[in-house]
Amino acid sequence: MRIGELAARAGTTTRTLRYYESRGLLPARRTGNGYRTYDESDLRLLRQIRTLQDFGFDLEETRPFVECLRAGHPEGDSCPASLAVYRRKLGELDALIGQLSSVRETVARQLARAELAAEAEVPGGPEPVCELGGDSWPPK
C-alpha cells in the first residue's frame, strides 16, 4: 500500500509516517517510480507505536517494541528490552502518582483551613475587596 492508504488505515498523517521513517521506526521501501510502499506488518508497527504513545510513552520509548515486532515476535512487548521500558515507565508513573498524592493532601489541608476560617468570620463584616483593582465587590 502507499503512504496515504497506510496513514488513513493507521489514523494518522503522511507527515507523521515520514517522521517515523526519518527516526528509523518505520521502514520505507520504494517502488521503481520512487513511491513509498508498505504492507500489513508496517501497519502493525504503527499501531504499536500509536498505542504506546496514547499511554504516554515518548517516541524513543517505542523503539524496543518496534524492534521486537520486526524480529518476528508475535507481540512487541515479548522481548527483554520492551519489558525494561515497561518497568521504567511504571516507576515513572509511581513517582508521579506519589507527587500528585502529596499535592492533593496539601490542597485538602489548605481547603479545610480556609473553610474553618470562613465559618469563623462574623456576618456583616467588611465587604470583600478585589485584589486586582482595589474595588469592592460586587461592582456598584
Side-chain angles (χ1 to χ4, degrees), residues 42-60:
D42 298 317
L43 180 59
R44 194 163 167 227
L45 293 177
L46 277 175
R47 287 184 174 148
Q48 179 76 77
I49 292 168
R50 305 271 302 165
T51 297
L52 291 168
Q53 287 193 303
D54 287 347
F55 292 157
F57 288 66
D58 66 36
L59 192 57
E60 196 55 37

Side-chain angles (χ1 to χ4, degrees), residues 26-103:
L26 183 66
R29 294 160 300 280
R30 300 281 181 157
T31 62
N33 58 5
Y35 290 118
R36 290 173 173 89
T37 183
Y38 303 94
D39 60 27
E40 292 299 317
S41 66
D42 298 317
L43 180 59
R44 194 163 167 227
L45 293 177
L46 277 175
R47 287 184 174 148
Q48 179 76 77
I49 292 168
R50 305 271 302 165
T51 297
L52 291 168
Q53 287 193 303
D54 287 347
F55 292 157
F57 288 66
D58 66 36
L59 192 57
E60 196 55 37
E61 289 173 320
T62 69
R63 188 173 302 280
F65 298 85
V66 169
E67 290 171 355
C68 191
L69 286 172
R70 280 190 189 160
H73 294 275
E75 301 294 329
D77 58 5
S78 60
C79 295
S82 303
L83 297 174
V85 172
Y86 273 153
R87 285 185 197 100
R88 187 171 53 249
K89 183 56 83 173
L90 194 55
E92 290 173 10
L93 291 170
D94 287 342
L96 288 172
I97 290 168
Q99 291 171 346
L100 287 172
S101 293
S102 175
V103 169

